[in-house]
Amino acid sequence: MAQTHRQDIRNIAIIAHVDHGKTTLVDAMLKQSKIFRDSEQPGQFIMDRNPLEREKGITILAKNTAVIYRGVKINIIDTPGHADFSGEVERTANMADGCLLLVDSVEGPMPQTTFVLRQALEAGLKPIVVINKIDRENSRTAEAVSLTQDLFLELATNADQLDFPVLYASARDGIAVTDLEAEGEDLAPLFECILQQVPPPAIEDGPFQMLVSNLDYDSYKGKIAIGRILRGKVSPHDPVVTLNGDGKATNQEIGQVFTYLGLERLEVEEALAGDIVAVTGLEQVRIGDTIASPQQPQALPGIHVGEPTLKMTFGVNTSPLAGREGQFCTSRHLRARLFRELETNISLKVQETGNPDVFLVCGRGELHLAILIETMRREGYEFQVSKPEAITRMVNDTLLEPVESLTIDTTGEYIGVLTEILSQRQARLVDMRNEGTGAHLVFHIPTRGLVGFRSAFLTATRGEGVMNTLFLGYEPWAGEIASARGGVLVASTDGVAVTYGLNNAQGRGITFIEPGAQVYEGMIVGSTSHGRDIPVNVCKEKKQTNIRSSTSDIAVKLAPPMRLSLEEALGFVNNDELVEVTPKNIRLRKKLLVQRERLRASHAAKRSLDEETD
């Protein structure tokens, strides 16, 4: 079939490790392309419009934008850099012909750099390497270039991929140069390199064909399918056929057609092959489906992403406080929301269990699942989740578990304590080197060993460290991981926590709640260094007597409670505990609320273990 090329378009993806400057570079490209009026103040992190993205300072969802340079439209796909959201990179690579690989001039290539570059090269994208943050005092640009070249030698599948241009940039200052000795003025060298190096989209003759790479939703327009037109053209009200992975064909009609420019979706009367478009009117469509003309309904290869590595249960809240703080509390609401998430979050898997009120949810990492939980919580959902567990496999009667590469950069004084913590989590040290300003450590660790490690890492290094992970594959089960956590303080009665009761509880450990908090029997209200759980009555008030004392009116001063974030709560709980999530609170609780039932279950488990030992 004959092919031509559209010279008026370039499609690129911006890929990098987390915090290497992707979003800042996109900001500078948008500002310098003059798409904003002089009176507009777009600010920073223009593309990260999701509140969670702004709060956490990371890109979570891949997004589309476009700029015009010298009459050529450059479609830009901003992708996440965090390993837990790598599925966003996998599903959007097919829309681009080239990629900008950003590498920090100080850190050099990092674990996620390896992953995103491998995905780009496998998709056949033309790479342009941008060494970013050259304005930093301790930048080592030459070494970053050398390490990047080594990475290409390791990952390239053909010799052509080893021939790539290198630019040097400061995204924060909005400059890029081809020679480090030159003084940068703007991003014109980067735009010129994109026009020269990124191939224009290839156009096949024939009727309309497009692969759906993303989905969006609008309360007025309904479902919006996003993808790149590979063949033909599309206009509003065109009849089309949607083909899913099972080969099922559905006749539908295009509603509106939009293209991208800056932060806007522009409605157009016609879009051609090579354009990245958003189309409405297709209610029965999923990511990976093909939209084609009825004249030639041919399905394109679907989108394949890596398998999840962690699982946890989402269930209807069963605590005595259920239904008081959430708007959506039933299993029907929970099921509908989880299965709706599957339409856009293709790295996620949801399965029904034998209990109609409980669902098994599988994701790519602890943060991937935590972002879903936090999003649902803010939408008004109330539910309870279990501790994340690794997804294992049985191969030739051997139990395999997911293993990840953990990279740590910190100062030398923390090497000992980190090595001790990680050895208890079945981690193996595979590389250690001194990099002048600190130490660079690489461990291979089971995925389950990473659950709850981030908070322990921040505590151990006092915030003076950076950790990153990359999924490696499956290896034989490494053995049990001993819990470093002690026991917990468990409320023994329902009621409202008071100062007197909390003061008594703080004599046995650290509390999580303040006076006035509503508690119930079985709720976890604190932690203790003792190796067992301790029931406490935080609702107990001081008995009133008619005997006066000179010290009776002195106010009791409580230590400030420990506030656990959602990620910390998920890493803190044990297998017999749950995290209760509501729009207003995050509580910890025992699965069995009544102490008598917990004791009975503990004795039964001990008897079962003794019988297996005998």
Side-chain angles (χ1 to χ4, degrees), residues 100 176 218 242 301 416 494 546 585:
L100 298 183
D218 185 273
T242 55
D494 301 350
N546 59 358
N585 288 291

Side-chain angles (χ1 to χ4, degrees), residues 150-168:
D150 293 343
L151 185 60
F152 271 86
L153 282 170
E154 177 186 343
L155 300 178
T157 56
N158 61 66
D160 293 340
Q161 293 174 336
L162 299 177
D163 181 21
F164 54 87
V166 179
L167 286 90
Y168 308 93

Side-chain angles (χ1 to χ4, degrees), residues 410-566:
T410 185
T411 56
E413 62 183 297
Y414 302 121
I415 294 176
V417 64
L418 287 174
T419 304
E420 182 180 354
I421 293 173
L422 287 167
S423 64
Q424 297 171 355
R425 294 172 176 261
Q426 299 293 349
R428 307 189 312 274
L429 180 65
V430 295
D431 187 21
M432 180 173 67
R433 59 181 183 269
N434 190 351
E435 302 206 331
T437 57
H440 179 81
L441 310 173
V442 180
F443 294 85
H444 287 179
I445 181 172
T447 299
R448 59 195 168 94
L450 288 171
V451 175
F453 173 69
R454 187 174 296 275
S455 59
F457 169 75
L458 292 174
T459 302
T461 61
R462 301 178 184 177
E464 298 181 23
V466 178
M467 60 170 279
N468 295 284
T469 60
L470 177 68
F471 175 67
L472 294 176
Y474 281 78
E475 294 182 5
W477 181 265
E480 293 299 326
I481 294 178
S483 175
R485 195 196 82 174
V488 291
L489 304 179
V490 185
S492 60
T493 185
D494 301 350
V496 177
V498 296
T499 302
Y500 184 76
L502 286 171
N503 185 51
N504 291 335
Q506 287 189 349
R508 301 185 176 188
I510 301 170
T511 54
F512 297 157
I513 61 173
E514 294 179 335
Q518 193 80 31
V519 300
Y520 53 83
E521 182 182 3
M523 178 175 161
I524 297 172
V525 295
S527 65
T528 175
S529 58
H530 296 282
R532 59 184 178 84
D533 298 340
I534 301 175
V536 292
N537 183 2
V538 293
C539 305
K540 183 179 181 181
E541 297 185 1
K542 185 177 181 180
K543 293 182 178 179
Q544 300 295 323
T545 70
N546 59 358
I547 301 174
R548 295 182 176 237
S549 168
S550 60
T551 60
S552 62
D553 294 331
I554 297 177
V556 175
K557 292 186 178 180
L558 295 174
M562 177 189 290
R563 295 291 190 186
L564 296 181
S565 66
L566 177 59

Side-chain angles (χ1 to χ4, degrees), residues 22-145:
K22 296 180 309 304
T23 305
T24 305
L25 182 63
V26 175
D27 286 355
M29 294 174 75
L30 289 170
K31 292 173 181 176
Q32 293 190 22
S33 63
K34 306 298 183 184
I35 65 166
F36 299 112
R37 294 190 298 271
D38 293 338
S39 59
E40 290 184 287
Q41 299 292 329
Q44 294 181 317
F45 311 121
I46 302 170
M47 296 296 290
D48 289 346
R49 287 163 284 178
N50 185 314
L52 275 175
E53 291 179 319
R54 288 187 171 272
E55 288 175 23
K56 295 187 175 291
I58 59 173
T59 301
I60 296 173
L61 303 172
K63 306 174 191 70
N64 297 84
T65 186
V67 299
I68 304 289
Y69 181 77
R70 290 208 292 115
V72 177
K73 184 176 185 180
I74 303 175
N75 286 310
I76 302 170
I77 306 160
D78 183 20
T79 64
H82 199 286
D84 282 21
F85 309 106
S86 52
E88 297 287 304
V89 181
E90 294 171 306
R91 69 171 173 78
T92 54
N94 65 82
M95 290 194 286
D97 297 299
C99 66
L100 298 183
L101 176 67
L102 265 68
V103 179
D104 191 300
S105 65
V106 177
E107 296 181 352
M110 296 293 282
Q112 186 67 0
T113 312
T114 304
F115 175 84
V116 295
L117 180 59
R118 181 186 292 117
Q119 294 297 320
L121 296 180
E122 288 178 355
L125 305 187
K126 172 66 177 178
I128 297 173
V129 174
V130 180
I131 306 298
N132 193 26
K133 304 185 183 181
I134 58 173
D135 54 321
R136 290 179 62 174
E137 290 184 6
N138 53 347
S139 65
R140 47 192 188 117
T141 307
E143 188 175 350
V145 173

Side-chain angles (χ1 to χ4, degrees), residues 294-503:
Q295 302 171 15
Q296 197 171 334
Q298 295 176 333
L300 292 163
I303 297 174
H304 300 285
V305 299
E307 290 295 313
T309 56
L310 284 182
K311 63 182 179 180
M312 62 194 306
T313 61
F314 283 52
V316 174
N317 188 9
T318 57
S319 84
L321 302 181
R324 298 188 185 185
E325 299 174 356
Q327 183 180 357
F328 308 108
C329 310
T330 66
S331 60
R332 178 175 60 85
H333 288 136
L334 184 60
R335 184 185 189 282
R337 178 62 181 84
L338 290 173
F339 279 92
R340 188 168 72 248
E341 182 71 18
L342 295 180
E343 295 183 357
T344 55
N345 195 342
I346 59 175
S347 299
L348 200 73
K349 288 190 175 180
V350 178
Q351 302 172 14
E352 294 181 329
T353 65
N355 185 341
D357 292 338
V358 178
F359 303 88
L360 184 67
V361 180
C362 307
R364 292 288 278 268
E366 192 176 7
L367 183 60
H368 184 206
L369 294 168
I371 290 294
L372 171 62
I373 295 170
E374 181 64 26
T375 302
M376 292 175 59
R377 184 172 86 91
R378 297 186 181 196
E379 292 173 357
Y381 286 84
E382 181 179 317
F383 52 99
Q384 60 191 26
V385 298
S386 66
K387 179 183 180 69
E389 299 178 11
I391 299 174
T392 57
R393 297 176 177 176
M394 286 294 296
V395 178
N396 298 326
D397 295 329
T398 302
L399 182 63
L400 304 181
E401 65 174 338
V403 175
E404 303 192 33
S405 172
L406 170 65
T407 304
I408 292 176
D409 291 282
T410 185
T411 56
E413 62 183 297
Y414 302 121
I415 294 176
V417 64
L418 287 174
T419 304
E420 182 180 354
I421 293 173
L422 287 167
S423 64
Q424 297 171 355
R425 294 172 176 261
Q426 299 293 349
R428 307 189 312 274
L429 180 65
V430 295
D431 187 21
M432 180 173 67
R433 59 181 183 269
N434 190 351
E435 302 206 331
T437 57
H440 179 81
L441 310 173
V442 180
F443 294 85
H444 287 179
I445 181 172
T447 299
R448 59 195 168 94
L450 288 171
V451 175
F453 173 69
R454 187 174 296 275
S455 59
F457 169 75
L458 292 174
T459 302
T461 61
R462 301 178 184 177
E464 298 181 23
V466 178
M467 60 170 279
N468 295 284
T469 60
L470 177 68
F471 175 67
L472 294 176
Y474 281 78
E475 294 182 5
W477 181 265
E480 293 299 326
I481 294 178
S483 175
R485 195 196 82 174
V488 291
L489 304 179
V490 185
S492 60
T493 185
D494 301 350
V496 177
V498 296
T499 302
Y500 184 76
L502 286 171
N503 185 51

